[in-house]
Amino acid sequence: MPLTRDQITRRAAGELHDGFYVNLGIGMPTLVANHVPAGMQVWLQSENGLLGMGRFPHEDEVDADLINAGKQTVTAVAGASFFDGATSFAMIRGGHIDMAILGAMEISQDGDIANWMVPGKMVKGVGGAMDLVAGVKRVVVTMEHTTKKGEPKIIPQCTLPLTGKDCIDMIITDLCVMHRRVRDGLKRFEVTEIAPDVTRQQVEQATSAEIWWSPELKPVAV
């Protein structure tokens, strides 16, 4: 069965390490905050000015003034700090964020990402993704493998306006986990884990990009 959004973000939380500073993009990536392993100290940053973001609040914990970059109410962990946008982006552009976990509309086989606009549709703002993909040390994408119409989102070349080029290190979808590899000077995504009961044929039918398969392919632990 394809992974649920909760399972995708739980797998993404497996990429966290103690002491990491991590930015979570809006949408699905924010669910990673609910899966930080117990006992691990990870500082989650939101570019609207919060370092130390916690899980989503229970009903009796909601504070309308405490929100993430996606305008969702969140919690703050002990030791959290609040600051202005200039300081927040200085953290990102200065290379002080270890990892960003973002959503995407399209990913190219060369590691490009498009995730900020669809021409002709209203755009509320560019957001911080362009700075994140250029400034953080590692970029992980969590997303559904195809569009709602079933069209591939991992494609030879992005057709939507780019957020960044040659910048994605890892993709986690409802069908599989892919890592960026380099062989003979060529960069492609290699499938290293596959969702339970999902077949290689299903992944290949849902992917129009050229991909590689790991000889040590294993099931996603859910």
Side-chain angles (χ1 to χ4, degrees):
M1 292 288 290
L3 303 182
T4 64
R5 290 165 63 89
D6 195 61
Q7 290 171 325
I8 293 171
T9 50
R10 189 186 309 160
R11 173 61 188 83
E15 299 302 307
L16 303 175
H17 293 278
D18 205 31
F20 259 24
Y21 295 85
V22 179
N23 183 287
L24 301 181
I26 63 175
M28 188 193 299
T30 61
L31 298 176
V32 174
N34 294 334
H35 299 296
V36 176
M40 179 182 291
Q41 187 174 49
V42 174
W43 294 98
L44 299 179
Q45 189 225 25
S46 186
E47 62 262 34
N48 61 322
L50 168 60
L51 182 65
M53 185 170 60
R55 56 170 171 70
F56 282 106
H58 299 302
E59 189 173 342
D60 60 349
E61 297 174 317
V62 172
D63 179 347
D65 291 326
L66 186 54
I67 59 174
N68 62 19
K71 310 298 187 292
Q72 298 168 303
T73 54
V74 295
T75 59
V77 301
S81 58
F82 303 88
F83 36 82
D84 60 16
T87 303
S88 182
F89 278 82
M91 291 179 185
I92 296 168
R93 294 172 183 173
H96 303 293
I97 304 300
D98 295 293
M99 183 165 66
I101 301 176
L102 305 175
M105 299 173 186
E106 294 177 343
I107 301 287
S108 80
Q109 63 190 20
D110 296 315
D112 306 334
I113 178 174
N115 77 345
W116 70 281
M117 76 166 297
V118 176
K121 293 192 175 182
M122 185 180 70
V123 180
K124 294 182 179 178
V126 174
M130 292 179 183
D131 293 87
L132 286 163
V133 298
V136 304
K137 298 169 186 171
R138 187 164 184 247
V139 181
V140 176
V141 166
T142 60
M143 66 178 190
E144 307 292 342
H145 205 97
T146 61
T147 68
K148 292 180 180 178
K149 295 180 179 179
E151 298 168 343
K153 295 170 73 174
I154 304 171
I155 55 184
Q157 291 186 326
C158 293
T159 62
L160 297 173
L162 288 184
T163 305
K165 288 183 66 65
D166 191 14
C167 56
I168 303 304
D169 299 292
M170 181 180 184
I171 307 171
I172 305 172
T173 76
D174 51 331
L175 300 185
C176 65
V177 176
M178 298 175 162
H179 287 81
R180 194 86 181 287
R181 305 294 194 213
V182 180
R183 293 179 192 161
D184 299 326
L186 184 65
K187 298 177 181 178
R188 289 290 182 265
F189 288 101
E190 180 181 83
V191 182
T192 57
E193 300 170 43
I194 193 166
D197 300 324
V198 168
T199 66
R200 287 178 56 146
Q201 183 180 28
Q202 284 177 280
V203 174
E204 289 171 349
Q205 287 178 342
T207 309
S208 60
E210 179 184 4
I211 56 174
W212 295 335
W213 287 90
S214 170
E216 299 175 348
L217 183 68
K218 61 183 181 181
V220 181
V222 295

